[in-house]
Structures are given as C-alpha cells and as structure tokens.
C-alpha cells in the first residue's frame, strides 16, 4: 500500500524506510510533525506480519506522539519508529547501530527513545551512530514515577467532574495493572490520598504484597471491569474499553495510564452516553515524556517538570469542560484541541521562517 493513500496517513512530514542488508535492519521512521519542535517518540521492535502492518503502526503511533507532546505543552513535535524484528539469530548491537545511522540521516528532525521490545541498552547502541536519542541509561531514568504523578493528578480532575470533589478520601478506585511500573506508584499516591482501592494484576505475589501494604482489596483480573467503584484506572493494556467491557463498567469515570485505552474512537461516545467521564489517555499519561525533556537540556529540571504536570491537570480540565459544554466525547475534543495547537504551531513556524 502506498504511504500517501494509507488510511493512517495524516499529512506526515516524512516517512523514512531504512534497510541495512548486513544487519537485517528493516525500520520505518515516521515524522508526523515538527511544527512545534523536533519530533520525539520511542522505537518499537515487533514481529510484524509484513511491512504494511509495520507502516500502519508507525503512522498511527507517530500521530499519537504529536498529540501527546502538544497537549503537554512541550517544545516538541511527534514521531515514532518501528523495527521489523528479524527472524532467527541477529546481532542486536549491530542492528541498533544501523538503526542509529537511519535516525542520523534525519539530522535531528527525529529523536528516538525506547518503546515496546526495545531497552535503554539498545538505544545506547544506536547512540554509537547518532546523537539524536534520549532515555539513555544514566539519563533522567525510569519515567514511570512521573507518569504516575501525572495520572494521579488526572484522577483528581476526573473525581472533581464525576463526583463533585477532587478529595479522594473514601473514593473507590479500581486499578488494573496495579503492580506495574506506573500502577504501583499510582496505587501508593491514591492510598496516601485516602482512596479505597481494588487492585488487579497477573503478577499475583507482587499484588498480594501491594494489597497488604495499602490495605486494598484484590480483584480477579476478569472482574476488575465490573467492580462497584467510582473510578476505573486502566494501567496495563490497551483496548480495555471495548464492546465486551463497556456495559460491565459501574464507575463514573475512567482515568488511567494505559495507552490506547479505547478499542475504537467511538468508545468515547459510548462512555459519554453512559454518563462516564473519560480522561483521554495521551493527555493524562504524558508525565513520562515530560520527564524525558531533562535528557535534552538540564534547564528542564524537577521544578519545571512539576509545573508541566500541573499544566497537564489544567489541560485535562479544559478537555473535560469542553466535552461537557459541547456534548462531544472527551477523546474527540482532545484530538481536536491537539490538531488546532499543531496547526497554530505550523503557522507560527511558517511566519517566523
Ligand atoms: P508494566 O509492564 O510495568 O505494567 C503493566 C502491568 O500490567 C504489569 O504489572 C502486568 O503484570 C499487568 N498486567 C498485564 N496484563 C494484565 C491483565 N490482563 N490484567 C491485569 N494486569 C495485567 O508497564 P508500565 O510501564 O507500568 O505501563 C503501563 C501502561 O501505561 C502501558 O499501557 C504503557 O504503555 C502506559 N504508559 C506507561 C508510561 C511509563 O512511564 N511507563 C508512560 C505512558 C504510558
């Protein structure tokens, strides 16, 4: 399928197909927008069925990064890269160095970091060939605590809208993926804020410990959707709000860390129809990318990060206000605001040129 006719093509600025016969590298780098700064987004390595599947993934993910970065008010654009995992044995260090050469060819239009299937060590190997990488070992480190802090603030916004107060004491919250990198920090914040917690995770031993420490109730993984709670915080998988789960939800709001929570865009309208508030995932979970700014420039220090997290809280409030005022689903409102901001940035950049 051609790139320009692809259904996920959204006026992407650049799409680079990189092949290196020696290492077996087959990668696609998609730069969705640099209107507001260099495009940043992780590299995902996956056993894609074919290059068409990889292209679809990278076009969608790079657009998502543009939206996430602009909604977090970062001086960044959006991009993403995918590597088609070679079959059989391959030299991982050489493969990532070749990937680094592909990044370098974009001369700083795109910065890569890790994503699914890629480790900080892989990015270190890419670093041998390019300076345009972030999230290296010894840098700003694990983004999860900052992501969790942002999600915690977002849960408070959701509580304010859905329950009339941001005070979480006694508020019942169901957390899926409770023992994960983000989940465990979030659970700690919610516990300290006095919430009554219901936790699910496939990691049973870690879950038992966490539940004991936070006086929480353990819920079987398939029962987490139907808990009689006020808020559902998905912090594990994507597509958890889908036709099979939506009618089991008893909560008044969905606010969590997981990427791509809605299986399809129309699930936002389905939530709204049921009177359930939704905190769009790429708005509430941008703490990690905010944290990564510290890798680009030391002026982005802890105080700056804290200010940006408070900004996320405000943006989420604006999205929810507009969703209510316009009767439009929050995910659609967020996409609209993101597109407006990107267009404004594009016009500013063109005028400054
Ligand atoms: P993680 O892998 O550390 O945590 C996921 C947790 O979910 C694990 O504890 C796992 O055991 C659990 N899990 C898996 N399948 C489950 C199931 N069926 N039911 C219940 N629990 C299940 O990942 P993470 O870094 O904590 O990220 C969690 C989510 O947040 C992901 O969707 C990720 O894309 C998104 N996210 C993470 C960050 C970050 O800073 N780490 C930033 C933005 C978005």
């Amino acid at each position: 399928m051609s790139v320009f006719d692809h259904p996920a093509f959204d006026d992407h600025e650049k799409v680079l197909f990189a092949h290196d016969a020696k290492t077996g590298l087959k990668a696609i780098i998609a730069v969705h927008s640099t209107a507001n700064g260099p495009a940043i987004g992780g590299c995902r390595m996956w056993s894609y069925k074919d290059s068409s599947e990889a292209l679809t993934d990278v076009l969608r993910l790079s657009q998502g990064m543009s939206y996430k970065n602009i909604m977090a008010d970062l001086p960044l654009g959006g991009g993403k890269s995918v590597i088609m995992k070679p079959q059989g044995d391959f030299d991982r260090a050489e493969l990532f160095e070749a990937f680094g050469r592909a990044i370098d060819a974009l001369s700083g239009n795109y910065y890569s970091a890790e994503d699914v299937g890629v480790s900080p060590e892989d990015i270190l190997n890419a670093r041998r060939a390019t300076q345009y990488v972030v999230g290296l070992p010894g840098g700003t480190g694990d983004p999860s605590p900052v992501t969790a802090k942002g999600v915690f603030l977002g849960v408070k916004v959701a509580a304010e809208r859905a329950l009339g107060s941001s005070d979480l004491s006694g508020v019942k919250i169901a957390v899926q993926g409770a023992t994960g990198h983000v989940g465990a920090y979030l659970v700690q914040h919610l516990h300290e804020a006095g919430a009554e917690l219901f936790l699910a995770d496939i990691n049973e031993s870690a879950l038992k410990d966490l539940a004991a420490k936070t006086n929480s109730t353990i819920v079987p993984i398939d029962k987490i959707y139907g808990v009689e709670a006020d808020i559902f915080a998905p912090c594990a998988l994507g597509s958890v709000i889908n036709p099979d789960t939506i009618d089991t939800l008893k909560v008044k709001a969905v606010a969590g860390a997981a990427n791509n929570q809605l299986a399809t865009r129309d699930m936002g309208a389905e939530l709204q129809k049921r009177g359930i508030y939704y905190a769009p995932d790429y708005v509430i979970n941008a703490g990690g990318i905010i944290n990564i700014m510290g890798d680009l420039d030391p002026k982005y220090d802890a105080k700056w990060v804290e200010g940006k997290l408070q900004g996320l809280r405000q943006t989420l409030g604006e999205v929810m206000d507009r969703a209510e005022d316009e009767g439009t689903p929050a995910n659609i409102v967020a996409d609209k605001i993101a597109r407006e901001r990107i267009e404004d940035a594009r016009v500013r950049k063109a005028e400054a040129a």
Side-chain angles (χ1 to χ4, degrees):
M1 177 179 289
S2 109
V3 175
F4 299 124
D5 304 328
H6 195 290
F9 179 72
D10 175 44
D11 290 334
H12 287 69
E13 287 178 17
K14 290 187 177 68
V15 181
L16 174 79
F17 290 76
H19 177 232
D20 181 66
K22 187 167 159 267
T23 59
L25 177 77
K26 283 183 183 159
I28 313 176
I29 303 175
V31 176
H32 176 257
S33 169
T34 57
N36 205 41
I40 286 203
C43 169
R44 175 170 292 192
M45 183 156 79
W46 196 252
S47 297
Y48 290 103
K49 191 168 77 229
D50 51 32
S51 57
S52 170
E53 192 181 59
L55 178 63
T56 302
D57 211 21
V58 79
L59 290 176
R60 283 196 188 136
L61 291 166
S62 55
Q63 181 202 48
M65 283 310 299
S66 278
Y67 287 10
K68 181 184 290 210
N69 294 342
I70 201 109
M71 291 302 269
D73 192 24
L74 299 174
L76 298 174
K80 200 91 181 182
S81 51
V82 295
I83 296 178
M84 298 178 69
K85 192 173 183 182
Q87 288 175 346
D89 290 341
F90 63 97
D91 185 325
R92 206 171 165 109
E94 293 285 317
L95 184 91
F96 275 90
E97 188 173 339
F99 173 60
R101 288 194 292 276
I103 296 172
D104 210 57
L106 289 168
S107 311
N109 274 290
Y110 169 69
Y111 283 72
S112 188
E114 60 173 306
D115 193 61
V116 176
V118 175
S119 69
E121 286 68 33
D122 294 330
I123 297 300
L124 210 50
N125 285 316
R127 178 75 182 83
R128 299 201 309 232
T130 185
Q131 58 177 304
Y132 304 120
V133 286
V134 285
L136 298 169
T140 51
D142 181 8
S144 309
V146 185
T147 304
K149 179 76 190 294
V151 174
F152 171 66
L153 296 175
V155 168
K156 286 169 77 76
V157 173
E160 205 167 32
R161 307 289 139 146
L163 311 168
S165 165
S166 61
D167 180 359
L168 296 180
S169 59
V171 172
K172 294 181 178 164
I173 304 178
V175 184
Q176 181 183 45
T179 75
H181 284 97
V182 180
Y185 286 108
L186 176 66
V187 164
Q188 197 54 42
H189 286 304
L190 296 173
H191 172 62
E192 283 162 14
E196 186 183 338
L197 298 172
F198 299 84
L199 312 180
D201 201 292
I202 51 175
N203 185 342
E204 287 179 13
S205 66
L207 187 62
K208 234 170 128 184
D209 289 350
L210 185 68
K213 261 195 250 156
T214 56
N215 203 16
S216 308
T217 305
I218 291 178
V219 179
I221 53 167
D222 55 333
K223 298 276 186 288
I224 194 73
Y225 303 104
V227 172
E228 298 270 0
D230 299 300
I231 297 173
F232 173 45
C235 298
L237 318 159
S239 298
V240 291
I241 308 297
N242 58 48
D244 293 334
T245 60
I246 197 152
D247 282 321
T248 60
L249 294 175
K250 305 203 169 52
V251 292
K252 299 182 186 73
V254 174
N259 277 317
N260 306 321
Q261 290 167 32
L262 307 181
T264 48
R265 277 181 106 212
D266 63 318
M267 284 294 120
E270 293 301 320
L271 285 173
Q272 196 182 42
K273 239 190 252 168
R274 289 161 177 78
I276 301 172
Y277 287 79
Y278 173 60
D281 42 23
Y282 64 79
V283 181
I284 194 174
N285 73 14
I289 188 76
I290 289 173
N291 188 55
I292 268 184
M293 289 302 293
D295 281 351
L296 289 176
D297 189 331
K299 79 167 177 278
Y300 301 112
D301 58 7
K303 199 164 152 236
W304 180 88
V305 168
E306 183 56 36
K308 281 289 170 202
L309 289 180
Q310 294 300 336
L312 274 191
R313 179 183 181 153
Q314 203 179 329
T315 301
L316 190 56
E318 281 166 26
V319 169
M320 287 188 162
D321 280 345
R322 226 166 115 170
E324 253 187 298
D325 294 349
E326 296 173 8
T328 307
N331 61 314
I332 305 295
V333 170
D335 286 359
K336 203 165 159 230
I337 297 175
R339 279 198 292 269
E340 286 166 3
R341 289 187 181 183
I342 292 168
E343 180 55 19
D344 287 349
R346 197 190 59 73
V347 170
R348 274 198 310 275
K349 191 177 171 183
E351 282 170 359

